[in-house]
Amino acid sequence: MQEGRILLADDHPLIREGLQMAIRIRHPQYMVDAADSIAAAEDLARRRKPYKLLVLDYRMSDCNGFNGLFRMQHALHDTPIALLSAYTQPPIIATARALGAAGFLSKSQPLDELVRNVDLLLAGQKVFPDVIEVPSDIADLNARLQSLSPAQARVLSALASGHLNKQIAADLDLTEATVKAHLTSIFRKLGVTNRLQAMLAIRPVLDPFAES
């Protein structure tokens, strides 16, 4: 009996197709959908959700850094999202955890190990490698982001995707007044006063390599 769907989003065909097949073999009770871009994943989310789990490539052709995570959190709301990446720098892993990811999987892991980690994620566990101390500026930003309520995080996610207040309100089924109230709280918690400053403040999260 089918128990639900899993979504796999990765723009590398070999990784995407190999992991998709391995998960299907291990979990025949789940339908495993695959997308090669964030746009395709968003389309599947609109048409086929709810999903039990999303395994999301950290960087794809139409997103940079954590923008993909923001966008898919916006599209899937409560679905656990695990990031899959060849980048395993501790600040990236720590930031992923702070932003609400359910796990961080390395593309250097053997396929059978990746599937075992998917097992843990489906069981509701968090899956992260051990990380060393995070730089203080990232730690401070993480703390500010963690202080956001779930509703505020969804509004910030939409803002990071370039949406205006009217579109955010329509997408999240809110009034524009409520969106403005959330933005006021978000700006206060981030220590900024407007949208541009907010985007600059979270730039290290949207793309940790922007300044490298």
Side-chain angles (χ1 to χ4, degrees), residues 9 29 43 49 62-63 69 88 106 122-123 128 130 143 155 193 202-204:
Q29 72 273 31
D43 180 62
K49 68 181 180 183
D62 58 344
C63 70
L69 176 62
T88 57
S106 171
L122 289 171
F128 289 93
D130 293 332
V155 170
T193 58
I202 66 172
R203 187 184 180 199

Side-chain angles (χ1 to χ4, degrees), residues 17 24 74 100 106 108 110 114 121 129 131 133 138 142 145 154 164-165:
E17 293 167 8
R24 281 175 172 169
H74 174 52
S106 171
S108 65
L114 285 174
L121 290 160
V131 297
E133 185 177 355
I138 297 295
N142 287 348
L145 291 170
R154 286 193 289 271
L164 300 177
N165 289 4

Side-chain angles (χ1 to χ4, degrees), residues 71-114:
R71 287 170 62 177
M72 293 313 299
Q73 285 174 328
H74 174 52
L76 291 174
H77 301 297
D78 297 327
T79 298
I81 301 174
L83 292 177
L84 177 65
S85 180
Y87 300 98
T88 57
Q89 290 90 334
I92 295 177
I93 297 171
T95 300
R97 190 167 198 162
L99 291 177
F104 197 98
L105 312 179
S106 171
K107 290 186 177 182
S108 65
Q109 292 176 305
L111 186 58
D112 59 344
E113 186 175 341
L114 285 174

Side-chain angles (χ1 to χ4, degrees), residues 25-42:
I25 292 171
R26 183 67 165 261
H27 295 285
Q29 72 273 31
Y30 289 106
M31 291 292 294
V32 184
D33 295 329
D36 61 2
S37 67
I38 287 293
E42 288 174 321

Side-chain angles (χ1 to χ4, degrees), residues 31-184:
M31 291 292 294
V32 184
D33 295 329
D36 61 2
S37 67
I38 287 293
E42 288 174 321
D43 180 62
L44 284 169
R46 283 191 294 269
R47 293 188 290 111
R48 296 183 178 177
K49 68 181 180 183
Y51 279 98
K52 180 76 172 180
L53 173 69
L54 166 61
V55 179
L56 175 66
D57 192 359
Y58 171 69
R59 280 197 161 200
M60 290 196 284
S61 58
D62 58 344
C63 70
N64 288 312
F66 289 102
N67 189 38
L69 176 62
F70 271 124
R71 287 170 62 177
M72 293 313 299
Q73 285 174 328
H74 174 52
L76 291 174
H77 301 297
D78 297 327
T79 298
I81 301 174
L83 292 177
L84 177 65
S85 180
Y87 300 98
T88 57
Q89 290 90 334
I92 295 177
I93 297 171
T95 300
R97 190 167 198 162
L99 291 177
F104 197 98
L105 312 179
S106 171
K107 290 186 177 182
S108 65
Q109 292 176 305
L111 186 58
D112 59 344
E113 186 175 341
L114 285 174
V115 174
R116 284 197 297 271
N117 283 330
V118 168
D119 294 345
L120 297 175
L121 290 160
L122 289 171
Q125 297 186 40
K126 303 288 187 181
V127 179
F128 289 93
D130 293 332
V131 297
I132 60 176
E133 185 177 355
V134 181
S136 59
D137 57 337
I138 297 295
D140 177 68
L141 178 56
N142 287 348
R144 291 177 183 272
L145 291 170
Q146 285 183 297
S147 73
L148 299 177
S149 70
Q152 290 165 0
R154 286 193 289 271
V155 170
L156 181 59
S157 172
L159 183 67
S161 297
H163 296 173
L164 300 177
N165 289 4
K166 185 175 182 179
Q167 186 177 0
I168 295 172
D171 289 347
L172 299 183
D173 195 23
L174 302 171
T175 66
E176 286 192 61
T178 299
V179 171
K180 290 178 181 178
H182 281 318
L183 287 173
T184 297

